[in-house]
Amino acid sequence: MKQLLSTICAVAVAGTATAALADGGRTPITVAPPVVYPVEPETNWTGFYGGIFGGFGPTNVPLVGPLGISIDTRALGLRAGYMHDFGQWVAIGEVSAENTTIPGFPLPAGFNIRRYSIDAMLGYDAGNIMPFVGIGAAQGRLTTPGPSITGSGPSLSVGLAYRPTEHVMLDARVRYTRYSPFGVRLDNTTFTLGISWHQ
């Protein structure tokens, strides 16, 4: 049976080839088009960015032993920076400025609280998602009609950035800063959400 099927197939193939040769090769030979699969473009994080962010968090003032004061704060600010994508890792430098308010405690006229920060961060390139960690320095400033009160200190941050489009970047991060104005320790933890335009 197998031999019979093989013979029939061979005759059919030979007949097709003979027909094609007999008409001078004018019989069209159909070739299946190659299958092309779409390839997701790689996200390149290199470029400048700038945007706005807002958040909230407690500022703790340790007093004596376990005693302390916790003050809820709100933040709204601007940030700008530059990223360089090395392939798997992304180096980031950023500066930011924000205005801080205390819910339920409006500051008198002429008073405001601001924070200025500079950060160096390292991110992991996972496509259009990038987790990152950072270390930096910040200065908190209470401006009054008289002299201003300032306090500076180190900060640590961890977050996640997401690029839904080529030029839009969303991010969420947690930032911890320790200030020491006049020798008084202030521990601030801020949770922020931001949106930026990416070059």
Side-chain angles (χ1 to χ4, degrees), residues 40-143:
E40 286 289 335
E42 293 186 1
T43 300
N44 189 341
W45 292 87
T46 296
F48 291 95
Y49 66 94
I52 63 174
F53 65 93
F56 64 94
T59 297
N60 298 313
V61 185
L63 297 178
V64 179
L67 300 179
I69 300 173
S70 181
I71 304 171
D72 288 330
T73 58
R74 302 289 184 269
L76 182 64
L78 302 172
R79 63 166 60 117
Y82 178 77
M83 298 181 175
H84 189 86
D85 195 334
F86 290 95
Q88 185 175 10
W89 302 100
V90 181
I92 310 164
E94 182 181 284
V95 293
S96 63
E98 63 190 77
N99 189 66
T100 301
T101 58
I102 304 173
F105 187 78
L107 294 175
F111 286 76
N112 59 66
I113 304 173
R114 292 193 174 93
R115 174 164 65 179
Y116 305 93
S117 308
I118 182 170
D119 293 276
M121 295 174 281
L122 181 66
Y124 178 77
D125 187 345
N128 62 347
I129 295 176
M130 181 181 65
F132 61 88
V133 295
I135 185 171
Q139 181 188 77
R141 180 179 299 174
L142 171 61
T143 302

